[in-house]
Amino acid sequence: MLEDKNQEKTSLEQLGEFGLIDHLTQQFKLQHKSTIKGIGDDAAVLDFKNKKTLVSTDLLLEGIHFDLSYMPLKHLGYKAVMVNLSDIYAMNAIATQITVSVAVSNRFPLEALEEFYEGISLACELYKIDLVGGDTTSSTTGMIISITAIGEAAKEEIVYRSEAKPNDLLVVSGDLGAAYMGLQVLKREKEVFKVNPNNQPDLSAYSYIIERQLKPEARKDIVELLKKLNIQPTSMIDISDGLSSEILHLCKQSKVGCNLYEDKIPLDPTVISACEEFKMDSTLVALSGGEDYELLFTIDQKKFPELKGNPNFTVVGHITDKNEGAHLISRNNSKIPLTAQGWNSFAKA
Ligand code: ADP
Ligand code: MG
C-alpha cells in the first residue's frame, strides 16, 4: 500500500492530534508484566519490583543525525529505537519499554508517519519492547525524534563504565567500521543521483555495509550470550562514536590506561575493500567512524577461556595502569596515543 506512488496522501490535519496518536499506536501490543499502564493516560505506570530501573534518552534531528534523502522512514524508525536500546544493553540490562516523541512539519503526510511507526513496531516486536508513551507535535525545521528507553536489571548485573582494572582484557562484539563505510556509499550515490536521476546503481557489493548503516541491530544477543557464558564484564560501553573515543571513555572513567592492537581490530572484508575504493585507512575508520552499535567491554583475564574462539567476540587489547596512558599498538609495533579522533598523527613515532 505504501509502495503505491499514486495513492492519495492524507494530511495530518485531517486526523487531528488524538486521532493521529490512536491511529499510529493502535497495533502496538504490551508484552511486559512491568508495564502497568501504557499509552492513554497522562503518564505510563511501570513496576520493576525488586529490579533496578535503567533510563536512557536520545534526540535525533533531521539534517544532523539523519538524512531523509537516503534513509527510508521505516528504517529510520527502526534505527531510532536501536540507538536507544543499545544504551540499555551497554549497561548489561534488558530493555523493556520506550517512549517515542516526534515533531514533523505539515509536509509530512500521514502515510510517512505510518511508515516511520512500522519501523518502530518491527523493532518493538523483535526486541520485545512495549511502546508506553510519547508526544506528538509540529515542527517548522524538519523532523525531530526523541526516544527514551527503559530497562531492568538486578543490581549486581549492572555494568558501569568505571570498573575496568589493569590486566583486564578489552573485548569487542561483531565488527567495526561498516556503518561508516555504508554511509560513504550512500552519500556517493546521492551525488550521482543529483547528476543523473535515471541512473540505477548496482549496490549489491555493498549490501552488508549499507545494511549496517540503515538497519543496525542493538546487541541484545550479546547481553544474553554473556549471561549464558557466565561472564560479568567489569566495564562496558556501546560503540556509537567509534572505537577510539569509547575506549577513552572507559579509561577515563575507570582511571586506567590501555593498549589496543591494530592487527586485532575486527573488520569485515567488505569494509576493507570499501576502504581501498574510497582511499581510506580501515583502522582509522574503525577508530573514528561511528554508528556500529557494537559493545566494548572489559573482562577479568580469568574469564578468557569462556569466550575464547567464540566468533561473536574479539579480544583487541588489555587494560594497563593509568600512568601508561591509552595507546594503539600499530602493525609495525609503534605505540601511538589514542585520541577521540582516532589517533594523534603528530605523535607518530
Ligand atoms: P498530554 O497532552 O498529556 O501530553 P497526549 O495527548 O500528548 O497527552 O498523549 C496522550 C497519550 O498518548 C499519552 O499516553 C502519550 O504518552 C501518548 N502519546 C502521545 N504521542 C505519542 C507518540 N508519538 N507515540 C506514542 N505515544 C504517544
Ligand atoms: Mg503530549
Side-chain angles (χ1 to χ4, degrees), residues 9-21 104-111 113 136-139:
K9 300 283 188 238
T10 317
S11 78
L12 294 179
E13 292 102 86
Q14 270 170 261
L15 271 161
E17 188 189 330
F18 300 120
L20 174 66
I21 296 166
V104 286
S105 67
N106 50 16
R107 83 183 150 96
F108 269 71
L110 171 67
E111 287 73 14
L113 275 181
T136 313
T137 187
S138 56
S139 155

Side-chain angles (χ1 to χ4, degrees), residues 216-317:
E217 302 290 346
R219 298 311 302 263
K220 179 189 190 188
D221 58 328
I222 294 294
V223 173
E224 291 167 348
L225 181 58
L226 288 170
K227 281 201 175 71
K228 207 172 107 195
L229 297 172
N230 199 19
I231 296 171
Q232 167 84 1
T234 51
S235 69
M236 186 150 65
I237 189 169
D238 69 324
I239 307 179
S240 51
D241 296 336
L243 181 61
S244 192
S245 75
E246 313 301 0
I247 288 180
L248 291 175
H249 285 307
L250 283 189
C251 287
K252 188 171 180 215
Q253 299 210 25
S254 294
K255 302 187 175 65
V256 294
C258 85
N259 286 333
L260 165 71
Y261 293 87
E262 182 179 19
D263 62 342
K264 300 283 191 259
I265 297 173
L267 300 170
D268 188 84
T270 57
V271 170
I272 295 171
S273 54
C275 283
E276 281 166 5
E277 191 183 329
F278 283 82
K279 300 194 167 38
M280 287 179 174
D281 182 313
S282 58
T283 301
L284 195 55
V285 165
L287 290 178
S288 316
E291 304 192 287
D292 290 313
Y293 301 108
E294 294 295 341
L295 293 173
L296 170 73
F297 57 95
T298 53
I299 58 165
D300 190 304
Q301 281 200 16
K302 286 202 282 290
K303 285 288 180 187
F304 178 60
E306 261 76 65
L307 55 70
K308 190 180 171 208
N310 190 314
N312 292 291
F313 300 115
T314 310
V315 177
V316 292

Side-chain angles (χ1 to χ4, degrees), residues 134-202:
D135 201 16
T136 313
T137 187
S138 56
S139 155
T140 51
T141 52
M143 186 178 189
I144 301 168
I145 307 162
S146 173
I147 298 189
T148 297
I150 297 160
E152 59 170 36
K155 180 173 182 270
E156 61 279 5
E157 287 170 336
I158 300 174
V159 176
Y160 295 92
R161 296 178 176 182
S162 53
E163 305 301 317
K165 298 285 176 291
N167 299 319
D168 280 357
L169 299 177
L170 189 63
V171 187
V172 293
S173 65
D175 55 71
L176 301 175
Y180 182 81
M181 292 317 294
L183 183 62
Q184 303 315 306
V185 172
L186 290 168
K187 279 183 174 167
R188 184 177 68 185
E189 294 315 316
K190 183 181 172 180
E191 294 308 312
V192 172
F193 181 82
K194 276 188 197 159
V195 178
N196 179 8
N198 295 319
N199 180 52
Q200 284 288 327
D202 177 13

Side-chain angles (χ1 to χ4, degrees), residues 17-18 21 24-25 38-44 99-102 117 131-136:
E17 188 189 330
F18 300 120
I21 296 166
L24 293 174
T25 60
I39 292 168
D41 214 308
D42 295 312
T99 65
V100 174
S101 299
V102 282
Y117 269 78
L131 175 67
V132 296
D135 201 16
T136 313

